[in-house]
Amino acid sequence: MNPRWQKSTYCSEGSSCVYVAATATGKVELTESSDPTEAILTATPAAFAALIRDTKRATGAEPA
Protein backbone atom coordinates (compact mmCIF):
# COMPACT_ATOMS: atom_id res chain seq x y z
CA MET A 1 0.00 0.00 0.00
CA ASN A 2 1.35 3.42 -0.97
CA PRO A 3 1.40 6.04 1.77
CA ARG A 4 -0.73 9.17 1.47
CA TRP A 5 1.91 11.87 1.68
CA GLN A 6 1.03 15.28 3.10
CA LYS A 7 3.22 18.29 2.31
CA SER A 8 4.45 20.43 5.17
CA THR A 9 2.48 23.65 5.60
CA TYR A 10 5.81 25.48 5.89
CA CYS A 11 6.81 24.57 2.34
CA SER A 12 6.75 27.32 -0.24
CA GLU A 13 6.47 26.78 -3.98
CA GLY A 14 9.71 25.73 -5.61
CA SER A 15 11.33 24.71 -2.33
CA SER A 16 12.51 21.33 -1.23
CA CYS A 17 9.64 20.14 0.96
CA VAL A 18 9.14 17.64 3.75
CA TYR A 19 6.31 15.15 3.35
CA VAL A 20 4.78 13.05 6.12
CA ALA A 21 2.53 9.98 6.04
CA ALA A 22 0.96 7.63 8.56
CA THR A 23 1.41 3.91 7.96
CA ALA A 24 -1.08 1.09 8.49
CA THR A 25 1.05 -0.05 11.45
CA GLY A 26 0.74 3.31 13.23
CA LYS A 27 4.23 4.58 12.40
CA VAL A 28 5.01 7.97 10.87
CA GLU A 29 7.11 8.24 7.70
CA LEU A 30 8.96 11.34 6.49
CA THR A 31 10.54 12.03 3.13
CA GLU A 32 11.78 14.94 1.04
CA SER A 33 10.18 16.13 -2.19
CA SER A 34 13.42 15.80 -4.16
CA ASP A 35 13.59 12.06 -3.31
CA PRO A 36 10.06 10.91 -2.32
CA THR A 37 10.52 7.17 -2.71
CA GLU A 38 14.12 6.50 -1.73
CA ALA A 39 15.03 8.17 1.59
CA ILE A 40 12.19 7.46 3.99
CA LEU A 41 12.58 7.97 7.73
CA THR A 42 10.23 5.94 9.94
CA ALA A 43 9.38 7.04 13.49
CA THR A 44 6.91 6.33 16.25
CA PRO A 45 4.18 8.92 16.77
CA ALA A 46 5.84 9.92 20.07
CA ALA A 47 9.23 10.43 18.41
CA PHE A 48 7.63 12.45 15.60
CA ALA A 49 5.79 14.64 18.14
CA ALA A 50 9.09 15.23 19.97
CA LEU A 51 10.78 16.18 16.69
CA ILE A 52 8.07 18.73 15.91
CA ARG A 53 8.08 20.11 19.46
CA ASP A 54 11.88 20.46 19.55
CA THR A 55 11.98 22.01 16.07
CA LYS A 56 9.38 24.59 17.07
CA ARG A 57 11.28 25.34 20.26
CA ALA A 58 14.59 25.75 18.38
CA THR A 59 13.04 28.20 15.92
CA GLY A 60 11.27 30.19 18.62
CA ALA A 61 7.81 29.12 17.50
CA GLU A 62 7.14 27.47 20.88
CA PRO A 63 8.23 28.60 24.35
CA ALA A 64 10.86 26.52 26.16
Side-chain angles (χ1 to χ4, degrees):
M1 181 177 158
N2 292 334
R4 290 186 61 170
W5 295 106
Q6 293 180 306
K7 184 169 62 169
S8 167
T9 58
Y10 288 97
C11 181
S12 60
E13 290 300 318
S15 297
S16 186
C17 300
V18 173
Y19 285 79
V20 65
T23 68
T25 62
K27 301 287 184 177
V28 178
E29 293 185 335
L30 297 134
T31 192
E32 182 186 4
S33 60
S34 65
D35 190 14
T37 59
E38 296 297 323
I40 296 175
L41 173 69
T42 302
T44 64
F48 180 66
L51 171 68
I52 298 301
R53 182 185 61 245
D54 291 347
T55 301
K56 286 181 177 181
R57 190 173 294 147
T59 61
E62 182 176 286

